[in-house]
Amino acid sequence: MEEKKARLKPQAEIEVIPEGPIRIKGNIILSDVRRDIFESPEGEIYLCRCGRSKNKPYCDGSHEK
Ligand code: FES
């Protein structure tokens, strides 16, 4: 994995967490369906993919309930 990262030199890392959110680490621009722009605080965000978050597009931990 580390060798592949070094070769590809990605701008961001995206990790799908089993039974959880999608973690994105890196400098990105994220816009929702209304074209609202979200920043990635400290270069890392967790996006909800279960649909239960009350703070979409971010994960608020509701997937654990
Ligand atoms: S993935 Fe965490 S609240 Fe949806």
Side-chain angles (χ1 to χ4, degrees):
M1 177 76 148
E2 293 304 317
E3 183 180 316
K4 195 172 212 173
K5 280 190 215 173
R7 184 170 44 85
L8 295 174
K9 298 184 177 107
Q11 300 299 305
E13 282 183 38
I14 300 171
E15 176 187 6
V16 177
I17 298 173
E19 310 296 326
I22 295 172
R23 175 174 123 351
I24 302 174
K25 184 176 184 179
N27 293 322
I28 63 163
I29 295 173
L30 171 67
S31 61
D32 70 3
V33 293
R34 296 178 307 191
R35 299 287 191 218
D36 290 338
I37 302 291
F38 297 88
E39 295 179 23
S40 56
E42 299 171 18
E44 185 171 83
I45 59 172
Y46 292 81
L47 297 179
C48 175
R49 65 184 182 114
C50 74
R52 286 183 254 160
S53 174
K54 300 216 178 346
N55 188 31
K56 291 182 188 87
Y58 303 109
C59 170
D60 68 356
S62 295
H63 63 271
E64 296 175 351
K65 297 172 187 166

